[in-house]
Amino acid sequence: MASSKVGSIGEYIREQRTRAKISLRQLADVSGISNPYLSQIERGVRKPSAEILQQIAKGLRISAEVLYVQAGILEAREADTDVQAAIRADLVLTERQKQVLLDIYASFQKENEAEGVLSDEGEPAQPENASPAAAPSKDAAGPPEGKEEVG
């Protein structure tokens, strides 16, 4: 069973490299891994360590976590939302920038869940008999507490 994982990680790396339109030699240069060793990984002859996977991920400008899951080092997590997938797939952002954006996005999701803005399915929560115009805004409620209107 381990050999199938080794082959699948190599195939995955080759697929990602092809999508990024870089040669094996270019990936070797940017990742600091020898060309023959990368070739062996892609062909499923060698099993890369977590450190090597991290270097490959950096060279491919993808998340090391994705490679760890493919290699069987980490368990797969919940599927990404479209926003998370787009952030992770962005080739212009650095890994640090991607992580910062993902952290901010997660904080907004938690905030909305805490305020009841989203339902359990991640959809906007709607009260059963309320329309958006039914609730008065804070400005329309009158003067602040303790203040009297001057007339």
Side-chain angles (χ1 to χ4, degrees):
M1 185 146 116
S3 63
S4 67
K5 276 290 183 191
V6 173
S8 67
I9 185 62
E11 291 167 14
Y12 185 79
I13 290 169
R14 176 177 285 148
E15 179 183 312
Q16 294 303 310
R17 181 177 57 77
T18 305
R19 281 186 183 173
K21 297 183 174 135
I22 61 174
S23 69
L24 192 62
R25 191 175 310 273
Q26 289 170 319
L27 180 56
D29 288 342
V30 296
S31 65
I33 301 168
S34 76
N35 192 19
Y37 189 64
L38 273 176
S39 176
Q40 291 174 344
I41 292 170
E42 284 192 359
R43 289 181 288 133
V45 175
R46 296 278 187 145
K47 181 180 178 183
S49 67
E51 289 174 4
I52 296 294
L53 288 174
Q54 186 173 13
Q55 289 175 262
I56 292 170
K58 193 179 259 184
L60 291 172
R61 299 184 76 180
I62 62 174
S63 168
E65 182 181 350
V66 172
L67 292 183
Y68 295 157
V69 170
Q70 285 292 321
I73 295 172
L74 279 180
E75 292 292 319
R77 60 182 161 73
E78 266 185 47
D80 283 343
T81 65
D82 289 343
V83 172
Q84 292 165 321
I87 291 170
R88 291 184 204 286
D90 193 308
L91 298 176
V92 178
L93 300 174
T94 66
E95 287 302 313
R96 184 179 185 294
Q97 291 168 334
K98 289 177 186 181
Q99 191 57 54
V100 169
L101 284 172
L102 290 169
D103 290 346
I104 291 169
Y105 182 70
S107 72
F108 286 151
Q109 287 179 312
K110 286 179 187 168
E111 183 180 313
N112 287 345
E113 287 173 13
E115 292 177 3
V117 174
L118 297 179
S119 67
D120 292 338
E121 293 81 34
E123 298 295 322
Q126 290 290 328
E128 287 181 24
N129 294 330
S131 68
S137 69
K138 284 185 177 180
D139 295 336
E145 205 172 300
K147 301 277 183 181
E148 291 186 27
E149 287 188 52
V150 178

